[in-house]
């Protein structure tokens, strides 16, 4: 028997392969060497022949120099926190790529002098919400609330209903954020009910503002009552509304979901929201409202610590002025069209999976990003649950939802242009691991 170790091709010989030389230019030395080492080990273990080592290394290279992997979101959850919330529009991706180079983010090219940072994005946001006297953008929704608390309420108190003391995810709790920056919290009402008089009794000369928080990831039903922004605006203190999801105007499919324009018109002095939920943009915190208040926020020393970078500014502007981003497009998708796509994909996959694949009705959701309890009619391709793991480990990874022993691949969250990739991924997963060796 020949010693297989003697047959393992040497690293420098494998690295000389044209494809790997090019990959080193694109991905760097380390990732390519890692792939070569893994392929050599497979050869040593006898699962790949020496002449296939370079090919295996090429096949196992990441598509970019990041450990993050591309995932096809087939969960039916539009804004999926664990999948990075809103996928960016192509326009936003291109804008961010442009901004990655030297760019005039703080330079006025007409005069050669320093310019207003992020002017394009801020002007686009102001134009999208004409009811806002001033706008500002920070790192995320939590940063927007932090800046409002620091600039307007440090050392003073904020009135908040007990039913709106929410936790957003990964341990982020609105009340704890407020107290952590030196705000005294005045809780009013009970878990299920609060009245305007409760707020009125709690407001005193120490009150910086009344905070209205949208419970964006749960719903309480039954004997409940809350006070809306219009009524809170009758109190003699400013009203800050954390609407969460980032809807700028009312959405016909989500009548219960608060939006910035309506909150401002109802009398909110300041609105805070996320950029990467229903707006469908990059991670960002939007602040919209009274011009003088927003000016105070922008001048606060902490504003610098919470500011966004040029990639975010570029992507946000493109989200606001460009074509409809993926999240609003998924929300608007017609259920009949989704069903037709599901049938066509199930048909195509029938050759590989036979009776193991079917088009089924499904129910999608907005997700932690907003509109709790709203069910969106959808359609899915159902495949055997045993494919869940190979699909998750594939390239691109596919994440669906296991229900009743089947894996549902919900098409509401898969852009139509990814249909072919989804089919390919299911085919590969159903075929089992790629056969190695000659
Ligand atoms: C999502 C959300 C936040 C937090 O926003 P991030 O962008 O995740 O920091 C705060 N408040 C509400 C109501 C939310 O829905």
């Amino acid at each position: 028997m020949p010693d297989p170790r003697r047959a393992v091709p040497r690293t420098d010989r494998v690295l000389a392969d044209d494809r790997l030389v090019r990959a080193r230019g694109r991905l760097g030395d380390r990732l390519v060497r890692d792939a070569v080492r893994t392929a050599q080990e497979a050869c040593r273990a006898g699962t790949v022949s020496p002449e296939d080592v370079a090919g295996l290394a090429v096949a196992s290279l990441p598509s970019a120099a990041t450990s993050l992997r591309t995932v096809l979101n087939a969960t039916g959850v539009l804004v999926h926190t664990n999948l990075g919330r809103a996928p960016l529009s192509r326009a936003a991706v291109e804008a961010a790529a442009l901004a990655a180079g030297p760019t005039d983010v703080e330079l006025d090219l007409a005069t050669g002098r320093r310019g207003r940072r992020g002017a394009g994005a801020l002007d686009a946001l102001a134009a999208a919400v004409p009811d806002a006297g001033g706008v500002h953008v920070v790192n995320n929704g939590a940063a927007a609330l932090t800046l409002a608390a620091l600039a307007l309420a440090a050392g003073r108190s904020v009135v908040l209903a007990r039913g709106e003391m929410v936790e957003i995810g990964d341990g982020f709790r609105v009340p704890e954020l407020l107290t952590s920056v030196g705000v005294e919290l005045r809780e009013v009402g009970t878990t299920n009910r609060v009245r305007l008089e409760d707020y009125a009794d709690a407001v005193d000369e120490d009150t910086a503002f009344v905070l209205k928080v949208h419970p964006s990831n749960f719903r309480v039903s039954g004997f409940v009552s809350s006070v809306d922004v219009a009524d809170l605006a009758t109190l003699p203190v400013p009203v800050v509304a954390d609407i969460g999801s980032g809807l700028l105007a009312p959405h016909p499919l989500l009548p219960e979901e608060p939006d910035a324009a309506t909150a401002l018109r109802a009398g909110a002095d300041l609105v805070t929201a996320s950029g990467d939920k229903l707006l469908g943009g990059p991670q960002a915190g939007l602040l919209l409202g009274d011009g003088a208040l927003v000016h105070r926020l922008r001048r606060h020393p902490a504003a610098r610590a919470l500011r966004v970078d040029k990639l975010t500014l570029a992507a946000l502007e493109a989200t606001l002025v460009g074509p409809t981003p993926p999240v609003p497009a998924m929300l608007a998708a017609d259920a009949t069209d989704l069903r037709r796509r599901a049938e066509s994909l199930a048909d195509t996959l029938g050759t590989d999976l036979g009776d193991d694949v079917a088009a089924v009705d499904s129910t999608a959701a907005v997700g932690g990003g907003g509109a709790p309890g709203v069910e969106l009619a959808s359609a899915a391709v159902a495949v055997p649950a045993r494919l869940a793991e190979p699909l998750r480990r594939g390239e691109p990874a596919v994440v669906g939802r296991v229900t009743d022993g089947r894996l549902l691949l919900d098409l509401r969250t898969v852009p139509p242009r990814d249909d072919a990739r989804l089919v390919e991924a299911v085919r590969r997963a159903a075929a089992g691991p790629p056969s190695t060796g000659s």
Side-chain angles (χ1 to χ4, degrees):
M1 282 290 274
D3 181 352
R5 263 174 302 185
R6 297 196 53 187
V8 175
R10 280 174 28 204
T11 305
D12 54 350
R13 262 195 46 218
V14 184
L15 284 172
D17 183 285
D18 274 355
R19 295 164 297 177
L20 292 173
V21 170
R22 281 196 302 276
R24 279 162 91 185
R26 200 165 52 82
L27 299 172
D29 215 40
R30 212 191 84 193
L31 294 173
V32 176
R33 280 180 184 274
D34 285 352
V36 169
R37 195 172 311 119
T38 310
Q40 286 171 317
E41 274 157 23
C43 181
R44 202 165 290 129
T47 55
V48 68
S49 63
E51 52 276 18
D52 288 338
V53 166
L56 179 61
V58 170
S60 56
L61 283 171
S63 53
T66 169
S67 55
L68 292 174
R69 309 244 311 280
T70 297
V71 176
L72 294 187
N73 175 10
T75 60
V77 178
L78 273 59
V79 179
H80 200 300
T81 301
N82 297 354
L83 299 180
R85 289 197 183 158
L88 294 182
S89 66
R90 203 167 276 184
V93 170
E94 282 169 11
L98 180 154
T103 182
D104 59 342
V105 64
E106 275 184 47
L107 180 69
D108 182 343
L109 291 172
T111 62
R113 298 213 184 88
R114 186 177 193 134
R116 185 163 66 103
R117 183 181 172 84
L122 293 172
D123 291 349
L125 184 57
V129 189
D131 292 289
V135 298
H136 187 54
V137 177
V138 290
N139 182 54
N140 58 10
L145 207 51
T146 301
L147 187 55
L150 279 170
L152 310 177
R156 302 181 65 198
S157 69
V158 164
V159 181
L160 176 62
R162 291 198 168 88
E164 296 176 12
M165 301 179 64
V166 306
E167 174 168 324
I168 300 302
D170 201 23
F172 164 48
R173 294 170 168 172
V174 169
E176 287 174 10
L177 178 141
L178 293 172
T179 53
S180 78
V181 296
V183 169
E184 196 204 321
L185 211 59
R186 298 289 296 275
E187 303 173 20
V188 294
T190 60
T191 305
N192 55 328
R193 287 176 78 83
V194 64
R195 297 181 197 86
L196 184 60
E197 303 87 80
D198 298 322
Y199 285 95
D201 288 349
V203 167
D204 58 24
E205 64 281 0
D206 228 27
T207 306
F209 57 79
V210 165
L211 178 62
K212 171 91 185 156
V213 179
H214 177 49
S216 51
N217 51 12
F218 68 99
R219 211 155 67 163
V220 180
S221 62
F223 188 54
V224 294
S225 74
S226 61
V227 183
D228 59 24
V229 170
D231 286 333
L232 292 177
T234 62
L235 297 167
V237 289
V239 176
V240 176
D242 176 10
I243 62 166
S245 81
L247 276 190
L248 300 183
H251 195 292
L253 293 173
L254 306 173
E256 309 270 292
E257 193 63 14
D259 66 277
T262 304
L264 290 169
R265 253 177 247 169
D269 298 275
L270 191 67
V271 168
T272 67
S274 295
D276 56 352
K277 295 180 180 173
L278 286 171
L279 182 65
Q283 180 189 302
L286 315 180
L287 288 148
L288 311 105
D290 176 76
L293 277 190
V294 173
H295 186 74
R296 271 173 71 191
L297 302 186
R298 204 178 301 126
R299 307 304 309 169
H300 191 276
R304 172 57 186 250
L306 304 173
R307 81 174 190 184
V308 290
D309 80 329
K310 58 186 179 163
L311 274 65
T312 302
L313 289 167
L316 180 62
E317 183 177 357
T319 300
L320 291 164
V321 306
T324 307
V327 169
M330 290 169 187
L331 188 57
D334 180 65
T336 322
D337 291 343
L338 297 175
R339 178 75 200 197
R340 224 172 283 136
R341 272 173 66 204
E343 277 162 13
S344 150
L345 297 191
D347 236 32
T348 312
L349 285 166
T351 15
D352 309 70
L353 287 161
D355 288 344
D356 275 349
V357 61
V360 298
D361 288 334
S362 166
T363 306
V366 169
V374 171
E375 297 188 342
L376 304 163
S378 190
V381 177
V383 296
R386 66 181 151 79
L387 296 187
E389 196 201 332
L391 277 168
R392 224 170 42 237
R393 290 171 175 274
E395 177 80 41
V398 176
V399 180
R401 193 167 86 233
V402 174
T403 315
D404 299 331
R406 290 195 296 186
L407 176 69
L408 299 192
L409 303 171
D410 195 306
L411 295 184
R412 189 175 279 279
T413 48
V414 179
R417 68 176 141 84
D418 281 338
D419 281 357
R421 292 170 86 198
L422 184 64
V423 164
E424 273 318 301
V426 174
R427 278 200 176 125
R428 273 196 304 272
S435 64
T436 48
S438 40

